[in-house]
Amino acid sequence: MKSILFSCIIFVFFYSCKGKIEKEENQQNYEKQLFDDSDYVLNSDFPIGDVRRYGIFPDSTYLSIHPFTKEPKLKTVLDLAEKESIELFFPRGNYKSALILDSRIGLKMSFDKAEFDIIHITENSELKVKPSDIELRGQIISYDRLGITEAQNISIDSVIIKSDEQKSIRGLRSRGCHIYHGCKNIKIKFLEIDDFGSGNKKYQHNHAALSIDGWNNNPENVQIDKVHIKSTDRHGVYITGKDHLIGEVYIDKFGVGSSKGMSPMQDAIKGEEIEFKALWINKCYNSSIEKVVINEEGSKAKYTAHFDYGDKSRPFTIGVLDIINDNPNINILEDNNNGVLIENQQ
């Protein structure tokens, strides 16, 4: 009797294992039918989605052509990810390349302190397709600018923008973060700008370390959890549009550079662009910043803040405005028709 029971147990165990193995094999075969990247693989030691699998390593992508597609490797993997809905992974290191996501739709990418030149998300002039539904996870570093234009539903975890003229393709200092016309539903968890440059005409469109603007088509629903501007030669934050929600803003040093060659700014009166401020709120409605901390030590701007044209029936609310190391020569400029409401000023 015991031997029969034991045989039954062995039989059940064997067939359950067999069934599990067959199920896993069927699943693998199913996934292979859905997606086969064999036409792109250059290093099979890495898993699907890891850019090293497709021949992209730090210090190697600039002007590097994929031998199968005859296209740049970076464009090849972006095309693959967009077409097949796979998530790309970039390990840490300097890729010596711009990250151009123009007219891309439905991209998912993750980064482990991966370094690029400019990060650009806008509408390709030839394709006439607006970028949308792009998710950038982890931490990404730029040695130029994060530029977003005519884009919707963009989600970014962490961006650090630094100046390093040796690592910048243009050999310039940082051009900050610009969220421009036509943008809707842009979400950034953490944005740090270590330096924002000036000096000559090459920086003519450098207005503010963080600019949210766009003439007659201003951004809507920009959400940023935390902004830290460590140093800016010109303005700190310039914000227009509507329905924005920003958590914490820290501005350490502002207005410490030159206005030489600077172009006028969107929605501003000509000449105001050279009157540097840490925070400039202009034509911005139904929006808020929970906390702003402005450090005036070492700053050389004309104003701490400029509360420009607005509408108190559609206010811009600042929960806490904290000015530290107060410089009596730097004041707040308030337009008679501004719409800024400060709940707590320290």
Side-chain angles (χ1 to χ4, degrees):
M1 187 67 179
K2 290 183 179 180
S3 60
I4 296 174
L5 180 61
F6 180 77
S7 299
C8 290
I9 293 172
I10 294 297
F11 179 85
V12 171
F13 177 78
F14 173 77
Y15 275 95
S16 65
C17 290
K18 182 180 179 182
K20 184 178 180 181
I21 292 171
E22 288 177 348
K23 184 178 180 181
E24 289 176 351
E25 289 176 347
N26 290 336
Q27 180 66 24
Q28 290 173 356
N29 290 333
Y30 176 69
E31 290 176 353
K32 191 171 183 180
Q33 289 175 4
L34 288 178
F35 173 64
D36 183 358
D37 66 352
S38 58
D39 290 339
Y40 305 88
V41 176
L42 299 178
N43 193 328
S44 59
D45 292 339
F46 298 98
I48 289 175
D50 190 315
V51 295
R52 293 170 293 186
R53 181 178 177 89
Y54 314 107
I56 297 177
F57 291 81
D59 304 319
S60 71
T61 60
Y62 187 56
L63 298 180
S64 183
I65 302 299
H66 194 287
F68 302 159
T69 65
K70 308 304 180 185
E71 298 259 24
K73 289 179 182 176
L74 197 50
K75 181 181 182 300
T76 295
V77 297
L78 291 173
D79 289 345
L80 177 65
E82 187 175 24
K83 179 182 177 182
E84 303 293 345
S85 298
I86 63 170
E87 182 172 336
L88 294 177
F89 170 67
F90 290 81
R92 69 179 60 196
N94 185 2
Y95 288 82
K96 296 184 178 181
S97 175
L99 184 62
I100 306 299
L101 306 181
D102 296 354
S103 293
R104 298 287 182 178
I105 297 176
L107 275 183
K108 286 188 177 182
M109 308 169 70
S110 61
F111 306 87
D112 177 17
K113 298 182 180 179
E115 303 173 7
F116 293 89
D117 187 65
I118 193 171
I119 304 166
H120 207 249
I121 308 172
T122 190
E123 180 180 28
N124 183 290
S125 59
E126 295 180 0
L127 296 177
K128 301 295 184 183
V129 175
K130 298 180 188 298
S132 66
D133 304 298
I134 294 174
E135 185 174 356
L136 307 183
R137 301 177 182 177
Q139 188 176 94
I140 186 169
I141 297 167
S142 169
Y143 291 107
D144 189 335
R145 164 185 279 182
L146 169 61
I148 308 175
T149 306
E150 293 292 341
Q152 297 186 21
N153 303 324
I154 309 299
S155 176
I156 302 173
D157 277 355
S158 177
V159 179
I160 297 177
I161 303 173
K162 300 181 177 183
S163 284
D164 189 324
E165 295 175 45
Q166 300 301 314
K167 292 183 178 181
S168 165
I169 292 175
R170 294 170 179 80
L172 297 176
R173 293 166 61 198
S174 156
R175 295 188 293 158
C177 175
H178 195 182
I179 300 173
Y180 202 28
H181 60 77
C183 284
K184 294 181 180 180
N185 306 325
I186 309 298
K187 297 181 181 180
I188 302 174
K189 291 182 180 178
F190 179 72
L191 171 64
E192 178 180 294
I193 300 169
D194 288 358
D195 176 66
F196 182 72
S198 69
N200 54 48
K201 196 172 181 179
K202 292 180 179 179
Y203 299 95
Q204 64 178 321
H205 300 308
N206 262 25
H207 295 138
L210 170 60
S211 291
I212 302 173
D213 63 9
W215 181 261
N216 290 329
N217 192 11
N218 299 63
E220 300 178 18
N221 190 29
V222 173
Q223 300 180 29
I224 306 176
D225 290 352
K226 183 177 179 179
V227 179
H228 188 180
I229 298 171
K230 293 187 174 182
S231 179
T232 170
D233 277 15
R234 293 175 174 168
H235 302 282
V237 175
Y238 179 62
I239 181 168
T240 72
K242 65 180 182 179
D243 301 327
H244 306 316
L245 178 59
I246 300 176
E248 299 175 311
V249 175
Y250 296 87
I251 304 172
D252 287 339
K253 192 184 296 184
F254 54 98
V256 296
S258 166
S259 62
K260 184 177 180 180
M262 190 176 177
S263 64
M265 294 171 63
Q266 303 281 344
D267 289 296
I269 297 172
K270 187 175 181 180
E272 288 184 329
E273 71 275 1
I274 65 173
E275 298 176 342
F276 297 148
K277 306 116 186 174
L279 175 65
W280 187 353
I281 299 169
N282 184 27
K283 298 180 182 178
C284 193
Y285 311 105
N286 295 328
S287 301
S288 69
I289 299 177
E290 294 176 4
K291 182 178 182 180
V292 181
V293 179
I294 299 174
N295 186 356
E296 293 186 346
E297 183 178 10
S299 296
K300 300 177 182 179
K302 186 169 183 178
Y303 299 107
T304 301
H306 184 181
F307 302 148
D308 210 335
Y309 183 84
D311 182 353
K312 281 190 165 52
S313 68
R314 299 178 292 159
F316 189 108
T317 304
I318 298 176
V320 176
L321 175 59
D322 187 7
I323 299 173
I324 60 177
N325 296 311
D326 183 52
N327 182 342
N329 297 317
I330 307 177
N331 300 305
I332 294 176
L333 176 63
E334 297 185 68
D335 189 276
N336 290 332
N337 296 315
N338 81 82
V340 176
L341 299 177
I342 301 174
E343 295 177 343
N344 184 1
Q345 183 167 343
Q346 300 176 358

